[in-house]
Amino acid sequence: MLRLLSLIPTLPLAGFLVLALFGGRFSRRQIAWVGCGSIGTAALITALVGADFLRVFPDRTSYHQTLWTWIDTSGMTVGVSWYLDALSLLMVAVVTGIGFLIHLYSVEYMSGDDGYARFFAYMNLFVTAMLTLVLADNLLLLYLGWEGVGLCSYLLIGFWYREPEYGAAAQKAFIVTRIGDTAFAVGLFILFTQLKSLSIQQVQTLAADAWPVGSNVAVIVAVLLLAGAVGKSAQLPLQVWLPDAMAGPTPVSALIHAATMVTAGVYLIARMHQLFALAPTVLEAVAVIGLLTLLLAACSALVQRDIKRVLAYSTMSQIGYMFLALGVGAWSAALFHFLTHSCFKALLFLAAGSVIHSLGHEQDIFRMGGLRRQLPLTFWTFLIGAAAMSGVPFITSGFYSKDWILWSAWSSPLSHRWIWFGALLGTLLTGLYSFRLIFRVFFGEVRTSPNGTPGVAMLVPLVVLAFFAVTVGFLELPRTLGDLSLFSQYLSHVLPPIETIPGMDESVEALVQIAVTCSALLGMGLAAVLFLPRASVADRLAGTSLGRTLAAFWQGGWGFDRMYDGVLVRPWLHLTRESGELLDRGYESLGVAAESFHVWLSRTQTGHVRWYAATVAVGALVLLGLFAM
Amino acid sequence: MLTTHALVLAIMLFCLGLVGLLSRRNILYMLLSLEIMLNAASLAFIAGGSRWGQADGEIMFLFILTLAAAEVSVALGIVLQLSYRFQTLDADAFNEMKG
Amino acid sequence: MEVLFYIAAAVTLVATVRVITHVHAVHALLYLVVALIALALIFYLLGAQFAAALEIIIYGGAIMVLFIFVVMLLGPLAVEQEKSWLTPGTWVGPSVLALVLLGEVGYLIAAGDHLPIDFMETREKGLSIALYGPYVIGVELASMLLLPGLIGAYHLGRRVSKESR
């Protein structure tokens, strides 16, 4: 069964090729079958492979499959080979499983669009690239997938390419992530020149042998890899592209910019954790970046008007939690939050998409309201998603994963108290912005009434994801509540256990949990106070001058866009404009010289064949003369 | 001695052919001059082969012969086409491809 | 024997000069045939009998016949010129040259024993072995050259109809 592994990325690739080559000739029904079928079959095979993997699991913790040699030059052999272990199996399951649900959802969501085949082709290509990324055995293949998902992200953000601003958003996403990708590539170069290998497993054991903890090389490589992860996962300071990336169709936002691609950075750091362990300062930087991003993004999420931008900022914020967890050494907690986040964030995006779809592409939450009655199923699933995101205690998955992260932030020797307090503030803000959305969109008076309700293809993924958004949390229960550690045991062969400071017993854990619960509930309560009443307190707050400035500042994402524009883009454009003329003149003179030379030479081309024969004879004479000399 | 003189004859024939190629305007005569030049080259090969008592000179002659046959068949086809289209065989009249 | 070579060389040169200076195509062709036959004689004198035979059969025969066909196909253009140039004086040159050649070949046949037979045999045998041994790629290339030559000649030789011009 494990041998079927290579089919998992191959099937979406086949789907992409079929749709790209023949999509124009297919009917919509056929396109949907090909697009969904390839991912669905891949998900099915993932289930088979996963079952087989788990059957032999503790005895055999990894499976290696080499398909062919990709590059073979002196000193460097890179194969197209897959590496399946607990970590990559988790990622593959999420990518194919949630990917399939989102494809199914898209069948109806995109049904009115002209680029139906193009959409599914891109989506299939994305899944291929993402699977290559997570299954790659070596860093070069991982980088191929890394760039592949970046390309698909670009193509899908700019899917409605007729709108110039969507194209600009696509370019922004591509260029900003490219900064991180370039750093990542440089990191790979250094790794290869230092260790003469690119295999993920080999590199890490070699690095652990060759470099002492905290050595310069290890720090530099870790920083460069972190830059790549930061770019892809939209963390500070490369976070500016994600809100604009919402220009793409909503299923794209759900799949790429919430559930899978943006968590590639988390995967990369978890995958290379032995390397990051050699650079404790960088690991601390990961935690700080995560903390800053989660707070900044949470504040921005509070004041957005566009429902998808709220979710985009919330995604950044939740990935901030994962980075924080990675930074304090709580590897499996980060991955657990990744799992729960994929479920509830995909659910939230799909539910938001169903709202947008029903309202005829209305995305402004101030023009929504009272949709609780009109779209009951959407309301309930959205509510479950929002509850999971804000961590409603005991019944939602988000509670368990976030609680684990906060407990690690409190108890880990790598953490600091202020990190924990920052993360606690984050849970309050999460509750606040999540329920602001609920109250704005589904409560209050009806401002826009929906024209139709979503169909079965859209509702089934919602219900399935809502089910998982509640239940995946029960895979790992804290010591105080049931003490179940299926998830951490599962990952224990790949990721090191979470360290705790001695003396952190269950009573402390219970206290931390109570703090987290209170904070989240406080956030939700505050949201109810602020946004639920008719003449809401929030409007009055926003009316004050301080409130207005703060709201505008937060809405623009803390002025990062303006700062980059002023510090980087404008000076650069200015420089190119100024130096452009000088450079142009240089190139123009080259052109003029070529042209005059051409005119001069073309005179020899008389069209008289005898002239040509004579020139050949003269040439032969000259050559003979040279030989004679 | 004989082979040396044969080489001298070859270069004389080659030069005559070249003169004919360059001085005649009629494309048919140019082709004839080309044949002369090819023959001069064959003679040089034969003379070389004779000097060293080897078969390679004659083999080269065979190849030149093949080349000449192919060249003549195509070239004469072109001559026919040119005379149909332009009603002349003046090589200088066919200068439409000048730069 | 060396004298024979010089006479044949003189015939070749004179005939060649006439080829490039003559204004009548058919006459030029005849001079060329004479030059080729004289050249064939030189080949023979140099010990390349096989080449001499091919020179006469293929060059003097086939290729020149092709030329003559084309000159005839070119039609009235050539015929009018021919009339104005067909004087008895034009026969003198080729006839003299051909007679010189005839004399030479006659002398060769009469003298008879200038070239040893066994030498010839080994030469021709070596040629065949070399042609299908080290030079076999050249033979293949020659066949590849001849086939496009055939197709090209067929394509180019068709008379273009007025519509497709």
Side-chain angles (χ1 to χ4, degrees):
Chain A
M1 265 325 163
L2 282 175
R3 285 177 56 230
L4 291 177
L5 179 64
S6 61
L7 273 181
I8 299 174
T10 312
L11 280 170
L13 182 66
F16 160 71
L17 289 176
V18 167
L19 287 176
L21 295 175
F22 311 111
R25 274 178 243 162
F26 286 0
S27 70
R28 282 176 180 254
R29 219 182 151 72
Q30 284 168 317
I31 292 167
W33 271 106
V34 173
C36 281
S38 61
I39 309 291
T41 323
L44 216 62
I45 292 171
T46 308
L48 289 174
V49 169
D52 207 35
F53 183 79
L54 290 179
R55 192 169 49 79
V56 293
F57 174 54
D59 308 325
R60 193 167 161 207
T61 53
S62 69
Y63 175 69
H64 196 269
Q65 187 178 37
T66 303
L67 296 185
W68 67 85
T69 305
W70 181 20
I71 295 170
D72 189 3
T73 59
S74 59
M76 175 171 168
T77 308
V78 177
V80 174
S81 41
W82 308 129
Y83 181 82
L84 187 76
D85 63 358
L87 179 57
S88 48
L89 180 63
L90 171 70
M91 297 295 290
V92 171
V94 168
V95 171
T96 53
I98 293 185
F100 171 65
L101 289 174
I102 291 172
H103 273 73
L104 187 64
Y105 178 90
S106 315
V107 169
E108 189 183 329
Y109 189 85
M110 299 301 291
S111 59
D113 201 277
D114 290 335
Y116 204 57
R118 190 161 59 93
F119 178 82
F120 278 104
Y122 289 165
M123 289 288 267
N124 277 10
L125 184 63
F126 167 77
V127 173
T128 313
M130 190 70 202
L131 290 171
T132 310
L133 197 165
V134 297
L135 280 173
D137 162 68
N138 55 67
L139 285 164
L140 200 64
L141 195 59
L142 187 148
Y143 195 72
L144 177 76
W146 190 270
E147 293 298 313
V149 293
L151 170 73
C152 293
S153 164
Y154 165 78
L155 290 172
L156 283 163
I157 294 170
F159 181 72
W160 288 310
Y161 55 89
R162 289 198 178 85
E163 307 280 332
E165 53 183 301
Y166 291 1
Q171 284 176 11
K172 185 176 175 185
F174 198 68
I175 292 166
V176 173
T177 50
R178 183 119 316 252
I179 297 169
D181 293 355
T182 310
F184 185 15
V186 174
L188 293 193
F189 297 153
I190 295 178
L191 265 181
F192 182 72
T193 49
Q194 294 289 318
L195 302 172
K196 301 284 171 244
S197 170
L198 280 176
S199 155
I200 291 172
Q201 309 303 320
Q202 216 179 341
V203 155
Q204 303 208 61
T205 34
L206 285 175
D209 289 343
W211 302 333
V213 173
S215 69
N216 281 341
V217 192
V219 170
I220 290 169
V221 171
V223 163
L224 290 168
L225 294 192
L226 173 63
V230 158
K232 203 52 111 191
S233 291
Q235 300 292 295
L236 220 63
L238 295 177
Q239 86 286 26
V240 290
W241 65 271
L242 190 60
D244 289 340
M246 294 301 124
T250 309
V252 172
S253 311
L255 180 61
I256 299 183
H257 305 117
T260 53
M261 186 192 85
V262 287
T263 54
V266 179
Y267 172 76
L268 179 70
I269 295 177
R271 191 36 104 199
M272 303 299 289
H273 65 91
Q274 282 160 286
L275 192 72
F276 277 89
L278 296 176
T281 43
V282 181
L283 216 48
E284 200 172 339
V286 174
V288 174
I289 286 172
L291 178 65
L292 287 177
T293 312
L294 89 87
L295 289 176
L296 257 59
C299 291
S300 291
L302 271 180
V303 293
Q304 299 298 321
R305 294 177 68 98
D306 184 328
I307 185 167
K308 283 179 72 182
R309 284 181 87 92
V310 177
L311 292 176
Y313 277 111
S314 77
T315 305
M316 276 157 62
S317 173
Q318 299 304 312
I319 296 172
Y321 271 111
M322 296 177 212
F323 268 64
L324 192 152
L326 293 171
V328 301
W331 311 98
S332 27
L335 266 297
F336 192 50
H337 195 55
F338 154 74
L339 177 64
T340 60
H341 171 257
S342 302
C343 293
F344 66 69
K345 189 51 63 67
L347 169 64
L348 281 171
F349 263 112
L350 294 189
S354 125
V355 170
I356 294 166
H357 196 60
S358 305
L359 297 184
H361 292 279
E362 177 58 64
Q363 300 197 0
D364 189 345
I365 54 172
F366 286 90
R367 289 198 213 124
M368 299 173 185
L371 292 173
R372 187 171 27 133
R373 297 246 156 64
Q374 272 101 337
L375 303 168
L377 198 64
T378 307
F379 165 66
W380 283 109
T381 48
F382 198 98
L383 184 67
I384 291 169
M389 180 153 76
S390 36
V392 170
F394 313 128
I395 52 165
T396 59
S397 59
F399 168 73
Y400 293 105
S401 59
K402 210 174 284 183
D403 170 63
W404 194 4
I405 289 176
L406 274 130
W407 166 238
S408 310
W410 179 271
S411 65
S412 165
L414 298 170
S415 179
H416 304 282
R417 261 321 149 258
W418 51 269
I419 290 184
W420 182 80
F421 279 112
L424 190 68
L425 180 61
T427 58
L428 189 147
L429 291 171
T430 311
L432 194 58
Y433 69 67
S434 308
F435 278 81
R436 169 174 175 263
L437 263 189
I438 295 274
F439 295 139
R440 284 281 187 219
V441 175
F442 293 101
F443 288 82
E445 61 197 277
V446 178
R447 292 191 182 81
T448 315
S449 35
N451 46 10
T453 48
V456 182
M458 281 166 78
L459 291 177
V460 167
L462 285 182
V463 173
V464 174
L465 282 171
F467 172 74
F468 281 117
V470 173
T471 51
V472 281
F474 301 127
L475 288 174
E476 179 87 16
L477 300 174
R479 279 185 296 176
T480 49
L481 292 166
D483 193 13
L484 191 67
S485 57
L486 284 177
F487 192 79
S488 48
Q489 269 171 20
Y490 168 69
L491 282 177
S492 61
H493 296 275
V494 187
L495 298 171
I498 302 168
E499 292 174 46
T500 47
I501 306 170
M504 290 288 171
D505 56 9
E506 288 169 26
S507 56
V508 185
E509 193 171 347
L511 280 175
V512 169
Q513 272 163 2
I514 291 167
V516 174
T517 311
C518 290
S519 157
L521 288 176
L522 187 66
M524 292 175 234
L526 212 56
V529 173
L530 285 174
F531 302 108
L532 202 50
R534 198 160 293 256
S536 72
V537 189
D539 291 340
R540 253 178 287 146
L541 273 180
T544 61
S545 65
L546 179 69
R548 251 204 312 276
T549 340
L550 210 57
F553 184 57
W554 285 353
Q555 197 160 19
W558 295 68
F560 272 94
D561 273 330
R562 207 177 299 166
M563 186 182 84
Y564 289 152
D565 201 41
V567 176
L568 296 170
V569 179
R570 268 170 213 285
W572 177 251
L573 284 179
H574 187 72
L575 193 71
T576 51
R577 248 196 307 276
E578 290 302 306
S579 64
E581 231 160 85
L582 198 70
L583 286 175
D584 280 354
R585 212 170 297 149
Y587 288 118
E588 270 167 22
S589 66
L590 211 66
V592 168
E595 204 179 339
S596 55
F597 191 57
H598 143 76
V599 167
W600 183 67
L601 264 185
S602 71
R603 261 187 229 137
T604 64
Q605 201 171 0
T606 55
H608 296 287
V609 72
R610 295 187 303 155
W611 164 254
Y612 298 153
T615 52
V616 170
V618 168
L621 269 183
V622 169
L623 277 182
L624 274 178
L626 285 177
F627 274 119
M629 279 196 296
Chain B
M1 202 59 200
L2 203 61
T3 48
T4 315
H5 288 172
L7 282 178
V8 172
L9 176 65
I11 191 64
M12 284 166 81
L13 283 177
F14 189 85
C15 289
L16 280 174
L18 187 62
V19 168
L21 179 71
L22 296 182
S23 55
R24 300 303 294 249
R25 282 179 70 157
N26 190 324
I27 197 160
L28 203 65
Y29 285 94
M30 291 171 69
L31 283 178
L32 289 181
S33 307
L34 222 53
E35 295 305 312
I36 293 168
M37 289 163 81
L38 280 171
N39 265 298
S42 324
L43 177 59
F45 273 117
I46 295 277
S50 171
R51 168 69 182 78
W52 302 108
Q54 301 235 316
D56 304 61
E58 275 181 84
I59 286 170
M60 281 303 156
F61 167 74
L62 278 179
F63 289 150
I64 291 177
L65 201 65
T66 321
L67 175 76
E71 176 250 5
V72 160
S73 59
V74 173
L76 288 179
I78 293 174
V79 167
L80 281 180
Q81 284 295 326
L82 288 175
S83 84
Y84 291 151
R85 284 163 192 260
F86 296 91
Q87 308 300 331
T88 175
L89 287 178
D90 184 0
D92 289 356
F94 318 129
N95 62 352
E96 283 172 24
M97 283 176 77
K98 65 171 172 248
Chain C
M1 185 165 140
E2 288 192 4
V3 182
L4 290 181
F5 170 80
Y6 293 120
I7 296 170
V11 170
T12 314
L13 281 174
V14 171
T16 305
V17 170
R18 290 304 286 146
V19 170
I20 63 171
T21 53
H22 219 291
V23 289
H24 196 286
V26 174
H27 291 182
L29 273 170
L30 287 174
Y31 271 116
L32 186 57
V33 171
V34 171
L36 290 174
I37 292 170
L39 208 57
L41 187 62
I42 291 172
F43 287 178
Y44 177 78
L45 290 174
L46 287 170
Q49 295 89 348
F50 184 53
L54 285 181
E55 179 85 1
I56 291 177
I57 296 168
I58 296 180
Y59 244 121
I63 295 181
M64 288 308 118
V65 165
L66 255 182
F67 268 98
I68 289 172
F69 277 159
V70 169
V71 171
M72 287 160 80
L73 272 176
L74 290 177
L77 213 105
V79 172
E80 274 172 29
Q81 274 186 342
E82 200 179 6
K83 275 179 187 161
S84 62
W85 285 99
L86 196 67
T87 55
T90 53
W91 294 104
V92 176
S95 309
V96 170
L97 291 172
L99 276 175
V100 172
L101 277 180
L102 184 69
E104 266 195 295
V105 177
Y107 170 73
L108 266 180
I109 294 168
D113 56 352
H114 279 283
L115 292 163
I117 291 296
D118 57 335
F119 176 62
M120 283 184 251
E121 262 189 359
T122 50
R123 188 79 177 271
E124 300 314 310
K125 199 174 170 187
L127 184 138
S128 311
I129 289 168
L131 196 60
Y132 288 95
Y135 284 103
V136 71
I137 188 79
V139 175
E140 292 295 329
L141 286 174
S143 72
M144 276 204 250
L145 179 70
L146 282 171
L147 182 64
L150 175 72
I151 297 168
Y154 171 75
H155 177 73
L156 288 167
R158 282 182 311 168
R159 184 149 205 160
V160 189
S161 62
K162 285 219 160 55
E163 294 83 61
S164 66
R165 249 184 226 181

